[in-house]
Amino acid sequence: RLARVLGECNVLAHLALSQNRIGAEGAGRLAEGLKECKALAHLDLCGNKLGDLGAGRLAKGLGECKALVYLDLSATELGNEAAGLLAGVLGECMALAHLDLRWNKLGVEGAGRLATGLGECKALTRLDLSQNSIGAEGAGRIVAVLGECTALAHLNLSQTETGNEGAGRVSEVLGECTALAHLDLSQNSISAEGAGRLAGALGECKALAHLNLRGNYIGDEGAEKLARVLGECKALAHLNLSAAGIGDKGAGRLAGALGGCKALAHLDLDENRIGAEGVGRLGECSWLRVDVRYQRQVGLRQ
């Protein structure tokens, strides 16, 4: 019923249909209505059971949405096939700035298919692929084309099973992402090795203001590697190293480097293994907010 009247809504710019049990059939009907919805800028279908079939049907209508800026397809059961179908129309959505695909079923193959279309999204500023099992190879395929997305400011690859290899793939292209301000690689089984790879490239990411490495067991060694380059991150304002297995030694290394971080306002070190010595060293950095709650109380997965 809604699809039948969309064409009459000439000024409709925002359509939110999240968590409405829309399946493949409903997606097909909606797609027909979208073709006539010329002013649509914001479409939210989060939490519907579109699946690959529904995504394919929806894609047929999305290509006509020339004004579309925001597309949320998170938690819609999209798989590798859906990624390919969406990639085929992304280049037609010339205004698309925000693409949310988190909590889906994308794998390495899906990431590769999606990457073929992302390079055409010149206006893209925010990409969220968190909680998809794309792994290091999938992450590599995605980031390989991000240099073409010159406006990209926010990249979320949290819980994508990237590991150290994936961190290395990301680090290889950071210098090309000149507008990147927010990078989330939390809970990706990154160790000191991966932290070192990232550290080698952070200085090239001039706009980076927010870096989230929460839940990666980088330990004191990884913290030390990051500390060496923090002074080069001139725009970094928020650094999250919570639940990262950092102890007094790592905290001391970080504290010693913070004086060179002129923009840093918040350092999150919650849920680590920092004792009184490390807390004392961090306390000397009175100009910024340092969170050090719940030390030695949380079991960390290595």
Side-chain angles (χ1 to χ4, degrees), residues 44-57:
D44 184 352
L45 291 172
C46 170
N48 288 293
K49 297 183 178 182
L50 304 184
D52 287 350
L53 181 58
R57 293 175 177 177

Side-chain angles (χ1 to χ4, degrees), residues 56 84 101 105 120 144 214 220 271 291:
L101 295 174
K105 300 177 180 180
E120 302 298 320
R214 172 180 170 79
D220 287 342
E271 302 174 32
D291 291 336

Side-chain angles (χ1 to χ4, degrees), residues 17 24 31 50 65 71 80 82 125 136 138 208 210 246 269-271 279:
L17 294 171
L50 304 184
C65 299
L71 178 60
N80 294 332
T125 61
L208 190 66
H210 185 120
I246 298 171
L269 289 170
D270 285 346
E271 302 174 32
V279 171

Side-chain angles (χ1 to χ4, degrees), residues 20-65:
N20 269 302
R21 301 181 182 178
I22 299 172
E25 181 183 351
R29 294 182 179 181
L30 182 61
E32 290 302 313
L34 290 178
K35 293 178 181 179
E36 305 300 324
C37 210
K38 304 301 183 183
L40 189 66
H42 183 122
L43 178 60
D44 184 352
L45 291 172
C46 170
N48 288 293
K49 297 183 178 182
L50 304 184
D52 287 350
L53 181 58
R57 293 175 177 177
L58 182 67
K60 295 177 181 178
L62 288 179
E64 302 296 324
C65 299

Side-chain angles (χ1 to χ4, degrees), residues 113-227:
R113 292 183 180 185
L114 182 64
T116 62
L118 283 178
E120 302 298 320
C121 298
K122 306 302 183 184
L124 192 67
T125 61
R126 185 183 181 104
L127 175 62
D128 193 337
L129 290 172
S130 59
Q131 299 187 62
N132 284 286
S133 300
I134 63 175
E137 181 63 27
R141 294 181 184 182
I142 292 292
V143 299
V145 301
L146 293 185
E148 301 173 40
C149 303
T150 54
L152 187 69
H154 185 121
L155 176 61
N156 191 341
L157 293 175
S158 173
Q159 299 183 61
T160 50
E161 304 176 10
T162 59
N164 290 331
E165 183 182 349
R169 296 283 190 94
V170 171
S171 68
E172 290 171 4
V173 300
L174 281 181
E176 301 174 26
C177 301
T178 55
L180 189 65
H182 184 120
L183 177 60
D184 191 337
L185 291 171
S186 58
Q187 300 186 60
N188 268 308
S189 300
I190 297 170
S191 68
E193 177 189 347
R197 293 186 182 184
L198 284 171
L202 288 180
E204 301 174 23
C205 206
K206 304 301 183 184
L208 190 66
H210 185 120
L211 177 61
N212 188 354
L213 293 175
R214 172 180 170 79
N216 290 296
Y217 199 94
I218 65 172
D220 287 342
E221 182 183 351
E224 182 176 354
K225 290 177 178 179
L226 289 173

